[in-house]
Amino acid sequence: MCLGLVLAVAGCASGESGGSGGSGGSGGSARGPESPPAGADAPSAAPAAKAPGPSARLPIARYSLTTEESTLLSKAERRAMAECMSRYGLPYDTVSESPAGSSDRRYGILDKTEAQTRGYHPAKGSDLGLKRPSDEAWQVLTGDVGTYKGHEVPKGGCVAEAGRALRGDAEPPAAAKTAQEISVSAFEESRSAPEVKNVVADWSACMKGKGYTYASPLDPADDFTGRPSATPQEVSTAVADVACKEETKLVDTWLIVEAGIQQTKLTAHGDALAVLEERHKQQVDAARTILARAGE
């Protein structure tokens, strides 16, 4: 998270990822899809949230930060950096925006609206509005100097200090790696399960009937990688892709199989993973404390 924030300060745009391997559970992965805007005919109503994506419905999700928790930690970390910089009389813009949420594409694209508007292209992240500060401010932010105007700069700079305020000095628990390994290995094993092979074959046949030849729902996006924007062909392929997933009930079938594999693995590591769950709780509590202190 700290590195991501440094990159944001440097002016890098944040985008949306759509890897097939799914979320890990190592401590900060966004688990659900974006929420749609409120309807134009009901401006006073709260936005209607989309149903959770498959990654959020898998057993391993309980050991991963939710989208809301990740956003909270990011906001608190920016606030802690701003507080640190203010001790040196240096500005730091905390801003209120955050990058666009990642769409859950564990089993490929699932959202019809996304398919119709962007094809397989991910949503562009919103501009955080952060620009690289002056050289002296950057040095304090990143810890490139040991002192500034006679005052000691924390080890690693204000970025590191903010990270410690949320996570302490302890190394990430070994359970974080375990959770990631379970997520990845269960996904890979599920691809070889007979039920998944059958439903993927059904999806492939459905796509063939619509004029598209693909062996797996993880394949189509590769054909359009690197293009600046979605072409009509990409959009039509993505729309057919989503429709065939719905017709064959691919997501439900695959999810049930992978969840069973995950649960077996989780049972063998329950005690270790409980440490990770507690660590996430501590981080969220620390974030709330930082924001409450700032009146946010």
Side-chain angles (χ1 to χ4, degrees), residues 28 138 219 271:
W138 181 256
D219 294 341
D271 291 342

Side-chain angles (χ1 to χ4, degrees), residues 25-216:
S26 61
S29 58
R31 302 187 303 178
E34 306 167 60
S35 295
D41 58 340
S44 61
K50 289 183 180 179
S55 294
R57 294 157 59 193
L58 287 165
I60 196 70
R62 67 178 292 185
Y63 303 106
S64 177
L65 291 167
T66 65
T67 301
E68 292 75 16
E69 289 169 340
S70 293
T71 299
L72 181 74
L73 263 64
S74 179
K75 182 178 181 181
E77 193 155 18
R78 293 197 301 271
R79 170 51 61 190
M81 280 193 281
E83 291 177 351
C84 175
M85 294 290 282
S86 70
R87 299 203 304 266
Y88 304 94
L90 296 170
Y92 180 79
D93 185 6
T94 61
V95 304
S96 57
E97 292 182 287
S98 60
S102 296
S103 176
D104 190 344
R105 297 189 181 183
R106 194 174 186 88
Y107 308 135
I109 190 169
L110 305 178
D111 188 275
K112 183 178 180 180
T113 301
E114 285 185 20
Q116 291 173 330
T117 57
R118 299 191 302 269
Y120 293 98
H121 277 62
K124 294 181 180 179
S126 59
D127 185 358
L128 281 171
L130 298 178
K131 298 179 180 179
R132 180 180 173 121
S134 64
D135 287 343
E136 62 178 7
W138 181 256
Q139 290 175 336
V140 172
L141 186 66
T142 59
D144 287 346
V145 293
T147 60
Y148 178 76
K149 293 185 177 180
H151 298 284
E152 184 178 357
V153 173
K155 182 179 179 181
C158 287
V159 167
E161 180 178 285
R164 289 189 290 270
L166 284 170
R167 288 174 286 280
D169 294 316
E171 291 294 320
K177 183 178 180 181
T178 299
Q180 176 68 22
E181 290 172 347
I182 289 174
S183 178
V184 173
S185 63
F187 175 80
E188 291 301 327
E189 289 177 30
S190 71
R191 297 178 68 176
S192 300
E195 301 93 330
V196 173
K197 284 186 172 182
N198 289 338
V199 78
V200 166
D202 290 342
W203 172 89
S204 181
C206 175
M207 289 290 284
K208 186 72 172 179
K210 296 179 185 294
Y212 306 95
T213 302
Y214 291 102
S216 165

